Amino acid sequence: MSAPKYQNHPELYVDTVAFLVENCLFRVPRKPLEEESMVFRDMFLLPQPDNDMIEGLDDVKPVVLHGVSKDDFECLLKSLLCRRHGENKGLVLNLTNQWMSVLKLSTMWEFTSLRTAAISWLDTSDASVCRSDHVERIVFAMQYGIKEWLLPSLLALVQRPELISVEEGMRLGIKTALKLASVREKLKLQIKYNGRWTSSMLVIGDRDTAAARLDFTPMIQKVFELQLPEPIPYESE
């Protein structure tokens, strides 16, 4: 007896796809992936072999995602598939590292709306550690192409009275740290004489040549933690 033929619902009969990430299997609806990601859309459009050989149809032959962590992929799927009502409402992400995972993979796989949501949460949420850490914002802005974060955070580091620390320089990278230091040095005291009174103000400009005559030895010793050489004892004949 042949199986009865039924009509599939146009919206609520969904195809699923199986993924293997690290040692964990995921099976999720295919439609959101191809609707929101150019990368997955192009992947699903590639010519496929016979059904027995198609990757992702079952757990036996899943789509293997190399170079992706299970935790990162889980956060991406939760942000893509979660709902604020019903059984899945607990899937809403609320930690900085979770949204950083979403930002990382949404940028890599071109999930435009998820990338926008991740940037918005990291930029505005009270729980985000990225709001006040300008070094972190610069690192992420350069890594993930967040142009709107870069200039304000660079400006904040240039304007602040505290120097760029060694630890911050390591996080920023030598090239960025040196560029910031060069901008911070472009500051000099401009003195104006106007008959009876003198005014002074800080302006942007090349370093004052008078700095070449200053003895920076104490500051160098402090910054580089150098000790003064031991004095040679005088021996009388």
Side-chain angles (χ1 to χ4, degrees), residues 134 151-164 180 183-184 187 202 204:
H134 291 290
L151 182 57
S153 292
L154 289 171
L155 180 61
L157 291 188
V158 170
Q159 290 179 329
R160 76 180 194 183
E162 299 84 11
L163 298 175
I164 307 297
L180 279 169
V183 174
R184 287 172 62 91
L187 189 66
L202 290 172
I204 304 296

Side-chain angles (χ1 to χ4, degrees), residues 130-196:
C130 296
R131 294 183 61 187
S132 58
D133 189 340
H134 291 290
V135 172
E136 198 86 335
R137 289 172 73 87
I138 292 170
V139 172
F140 291 147
M142 292 182 168
Q143 187 172 359
Y144 299 115
I146 311 174
K147 296 180 180 179
E148 60 268 32
W149 284 11
L150 191 56
L151 182 57
S153 292
L154 289 171
L155 180 61
L157 291 188
V158 170
Q159 290 179 329
R160 76 180 194 183
E162 299 84 11
L163 298 175
I164 307 297
S165 69
V166 173
E167 185 269 337
E168 288 174 330
M170 293 176 65
R171 290 164 60 194
L172 291 166
I174 185 65
K175 186 175 180 180
T176 301
L178 288 176
K179 285 183 176 181
L180 279 169
S182 69
V183 174
R184 287 172 62 91
E185 282 195 356
K186 296 291 184 179
L187 189 66
K188 66 179 182 179
L189 186 66
Q190 185 180 75
I191 300 176
K192 293 184 178 180
Y193 301 95
N194 187 12
R196 295 182 301 174

Side-chain angles (χ1 to χ4, degrees), residues 19 26 28 33 72-82:
F19 293 97
F26 295 82
V28 294
L33 295 170
D72 285 349
F73 193 56
E74 179 182 332
C75 289
L76 179 82
L77 292 180
K78 285 181 177 180
S79 66
L80 179 65
L81 304 173
C82 71

Side-chain angles (χ1 to χ4, degrees), residues 194-209:
N194 187 12
R196 295 182 301 174
W197 51 271
T198 302
S199 64
S200 61
M201 61 184 298
L202 290 172
V203 297
I204 304 296
D206 292 330
R207 192 181 191 187
D208 198 311
T209 55

